[in-house]
Amino acid sequence: MQIPKTITVAHGDGIGPEIMDSTLKIFDATGVNLNYDFIEVGKNVYERGVKSGIEEKAWDTVLKNKILFKAPITTPQGGGVKSLNVTLRKTLGLFANVRPCKAYHPYVQTKHPQMDVTIIRENEEDTYGGIEHRQTFEVYQCLKLITLPGTERIVRYAFEYANTHGRKKVTCFTKDNIMKLTDGLFHDTFKTIASEYPDIESENLIVDIGTARLADTPENFDVIVMPNLYGDIVSDVAAQISGSVGMVGSANIGSECAMFEAIHGSAPDIAGKNIANPSALIQAGTMMLRHLGETRSAQIIQNAWLKTLEDGIHTTDIFSKHSTKKVSTSEFTQAVIDRLGQTPGKFSAVNYEGQKKIDTLELKLSRTELRPSLKQKRELLGVDIFVYWEPENANLLAERLQEASGKHLKLTMITNRGTKVWPNGHPETFCTDHWRCRFKSINERTNQMEINELLHNLTKHTTDIIKTENLYSFDTEPAFSLGQGE
Ligand code: NAD
């Protein structure tokens, strides 16, 4: 017998302890080859004044074991606490969030009986860097960062997932008609990597129409990959329309660590009543067993769980006309245990034998044909200077900036909230106290010394500078967006 692997287990808050006990009981009855190190995270830890929701000792255990199986926690409102989930994802480098959203029709009610979609979401970047600033009295900013290696890794992961899970198509959701650089990078990277997987169909949709179509005809989708924020929203939509949030598990995958959890929260309204549906955590559990290579146990549990569903043995949240018996959490758990070794008759039985594992370490290292972009020639063409300016008069601001600008760079445009207001602005354009002033070199290119001189001159003329953003070209291609109306 192989030496058992040790994983970290957190029972969480609310219904967490009930559904975790249920899942571990099923694991034990199956003879899963695992040891558990238990840690405390969540409400009690926050209430002891630990703003991250996890203590140092627990961190050591998570880092040692590398695999965390976590029940939902209750996040206190306000009080400056940090989201434990975001901290875990970012600290452990869990770059891929995977949510299989499948209908279990007719036993779990859904308008989409054929639905079987896996949402793969980038998990660390985008606006979730949490880099936010209040810049003026009226304007707040959140930075959206999309990186080439981060994008390459998540897109490649999506295609590898399709390959190893018998999936036929990968769809990409972006909004690159508006965000041509950030979402454009995601879309371009998707196209490049898709060409390496000719056996898998690929398509890109704008996220708004893509989500509308997903909600309408999810049977036309297979695997969908997208940046963090869209993925956060779209994966909840997908889970909900597949039947119930109480049925969907998720995996957070990194190159060395991984975390598995239910997608729902701690459900304080039903905590301690022994009525919660443990299915989502059981689903997360079987994803974890497959990740660990415990495919035999994962298969036995999944087939017993499917058989329990089709036998109509249902918890309150999914009880319907197709149910035969309304059961408690512990009765549902026992029903699954009673069916270990059986296969479903109406649902297709799962077979995980011979399943290949995605080599996430390899994904981290693979920066293949996208790398030549590092060899591009980068040149500095100018600078966007963001200023705080109270009077709503772009012409007056332009006059003052032109007076002060000096001899190397000239003012070419002013925008307010991204819309061009100088030269030739329109009085109808609504303006705030936050202005982006674009200066370009009077020659072909400039340098940081010239920009510093410009900033010095403007400051001498009491210009209130909030921040600057250099304007580069890469291989002569301008690498900045135009103003709306420019
Ligand atoms: P929730 O998912 O806990 O509950 C929403 C509704 O779904 C409730 O009516 C609940 O009773 C029901 N529900 C959820 N899971 C169920 C299950 N397994 N069986 C039966 N019914 C179930 O969402 P919420 O009420 O918005 O959040 C409660 C707490 O959970 C909050 O503190 C929130 O921050 C936290 N939360 C944690 C996680 C996590 O740890 N991953 C995720 C989401 C929310």
Side-chain angles (χ1 to χ4, degrees):
M1 176 157 162
Q2 277 191 324
I3 303 167
K5 295 185 184 84
T6 303
I7 63 161
T8 308
V9 174
H11 275 85
D13 303 314
I15 59 170
E18 297 161 62
I19 59 174
M20 182 55 86
D21 282 343
S22 155
T23 308
L24 296 186
K25 211 168 158 195
I26 295 168
F27 277 16
D28 291 344
T30 318
V32 168
N33 195 25
L34 291 178
N35 282 334
Y36 311 126
D37 277 343
F38 295 100
I39 58 163
E40 188 186 27
V41 291
K43 193 164 174 278
N44 290 341
V45 182
Y46 282 121
E47 283 174 1
R48 288 203 288 275
V50 182
K51 290 200 180 323
S52 61
I54 177 166
E55 277 173 317
E56 274 308 312
K57 208 160 58 155
W59 257 126
D60 292 344
T61 309
V62 171
L63 291 167
K64 172 173 69 82
N65 294 331
K66 302 200 185 309
I67 302 290
L68 173 61
F69 190 30
K70 179 180 148 292
I73 60 154
T74 302
T75 314
Q77 301 284 314
V81 302
K82 287 269 182 205
S83 157
L84 175 65
N85 269 358
V86 176
T87 305
L88 286 168
R89 283 172 194 163
K90 298 190 83 167
T91 311
L92 301 177
L94 308 178
F95 67 87
N97 186 301
V98 183
R99 280 188 185 184
C101 302
K102 185 170 161 45
Y104 297 99
H105 177 79
Y107 304 100
V108 180
Q109 288 193 322
T110 171
K111 295 185 182 114
H112 307 288
Q114 305 303 322
M115 178 172 183
D116 185 3
V117 179
T118 298
I119 309 286
I120 298 186
R121 153 192 171 198
E122 198 291 318
N123 218 12
E124 297 180 285
E125 304 190 342
D126 200 345
T127 47
Y128 287 58
I131 307 173
E132 293 191 299
H133 301 92
R134 180 177 179 178
Q135 297 178 311
T136 65
F137 291 96
E138 295 178 343
V139 176
Y140 298 68
Q141 167 188 275
C142 176
L143 278 187
K144 169 170 167 135
L145 295 175
I146 303 284
T147 73
L148 177 57
T151 304
E152 185 182 358
R153 203 151 52 135
I154 191 65
V155 172
R156 208 177 277 288
Y157 183 89
F159 279 95
E160 284 296 319
Y161 180 94
N163 236 351
T164 49
H165 290 73
R167 299 290 187 146
K168 304 279 178 267
K169 179 166 116 179
V170 181
T171 305
C172 175
F173 279 5
T174 54
K175 187 79 186 170
D176 59 327
N177 53 335
I178 303 294
M179 283 159 280
K180 295 184 188 336
L181 289 173
T182 48
D183 282 27
L185 170 67
F186 204 94
H187 185 176
D188 285 349
T189 307
F190 178 79
K191 276 194 285 192
T192 307
I193 292 177
S195 66
E196 291 177 33
Y197 296 84
D199 297 338
I200 297 173
E201 192 189 334
S202 63
E203 66 174 348
N204 183 80
L205 292 174
I206 299 297
V207 61
D208 38 18
I209 188 62
T211 310
R213 285 198 203 158
L214 174 68
D216 185 49
T217 45
E219 60 276 12
N220 292 341
F221 294 88
D222 196 347
V223 173
I224 315 179
V225 64
M226 63 195 99
N228 204 342
L229 177 60
Y230 310 145
D232 197 357
I233 299 163
V234 173
S235 62
D236 264 27
V237 173
Q240 183 66 31
I241 65 170
S242 70
S244 163
V245 288
M247 305 285 288
V248 183
S250 86
N252 293 270
I253 307 286
S255 37
E256 285 171 45
C257 301
M259 173 173 78
F260 299 83
E261 60 182 346
I263 70 152
H264 59 72
S266 58
D269 52 335
I270 57 166
K273 296 184 177 162
N274 193 25
I275 58 171
N277 186 349
S279 294
L281 199 63
I282 297 171
Q283 291 306 289
T286 57
M287 289 169 89
M288 177 177 72
L289 294 176
R290 291 171 77 183
H291 180 83
L292 289 167
E294 296 282 330
T295 42
R296 191 188 142 274
S297 302
Q299 184 173 314
I300 290 171
I301 294 172
Q302 189 68 5
N303 282 330
W305 178 76
L306 289 169
K307 180 87 173 79
T308 309
L309 284 188
E310 68 176 31
D311 284 349
I313 298 173
H314 295 162
T315 44
T316 312
D317 58 315
I318 57 165
F319 195 78
S320 72
K321 63 177 193 278
H322 294 283
S323 309
T324 55
K325 193 175 174 198
K326 190 187 280 187
V327 290
S328 64
T329 312
S330 45
E331 287 167 333
F332 184 85
T333 308
Q334 192 54 48
V336 176
I337 291 172
D338 292 344
R339 286 162 181 75
L340 291 171
Q342 297 181 27
T343 45
K346 298 179 186 98
F347 290 131
S348 303
V350 299
N351 183 354
Y352 301 144
E353 259 171 53
Q355 175 207 286
K356 280 192 288 171
K357 202 179 154 210
I358 303 174
D359 187 344
T360 43
L361 202 57
E362 188 63 27
L363 290 181
K364 187 180 174 189
L365 300 173
S366 71
R367 296 178 177 186
T368 49
E369 67 269 32
L370 297 167
R371 288 295 88 187
S373 61
L374 286 181
K375 298 197 182 79
Q376 288 173 334
K377 189 167 179 205
R378 187 177 73 143
E379 290 182 310
L380 187 55
L381 307 183
V383 63
D384 275 349
I385 299 180
F386 293 76
V387 303
Y388 163 62
W389 166 258
E390 199 58 63
E392 288 181 17
N393 188 331
N395 290 336
L396 198 57
L397 176 61
E399 258 174 50
R400 289 186 56 162
L401 295 172
Q402 280 171 318
E403 270 170 36
S405 56
K407 56 184 185 300
H408 302 298
L409 293 115
K410 71 168 190 296
L411 182 70
T412 59
M413 175 183 76
I414 300 177
T415 68
N416 199 294
R417 298 189 306 163
T419 303
K420 191 185 72 159
V421 290
W422 182 92
N424 308 322
H426 298 284
E428 293 81 8
T429 306
F430 178 79
C431 289
T432 68
D433 58 1
H434 178 279
W435 308 77
R436 187 251 311 249
C437 309
R438 176 160 290 176
F439 288 85
K440 293 245 188 86
S441 172
I442 54 168
N443 301 309
E444 264 179 39
R445 63 191 75 90
T446 184
N447 57 53
Q448 199 58 50
M449 292 302 285
E450 291 180 356
I451 291 176
N452 291 351
E453 191 181 310
L454 170 67
L455 292 172
H456 180 72
N457 291 342
L458 294 177
T459 312
K460 267 202 316 205
H461 280 72
T462 66
T463 310
D464 193 333
I465 298 171
I466 303 159
K467 74 160 194 172
T468 68
E469 192 76 54
N470 285 353
L471 304 175
Y472 293 105
S473 67
F474 288 79
D475 277 354
T476 72
E477 188 73 32
F480 44 89
S481 56
L482 298 177
Q484 204 72 42
E486 191 180 1

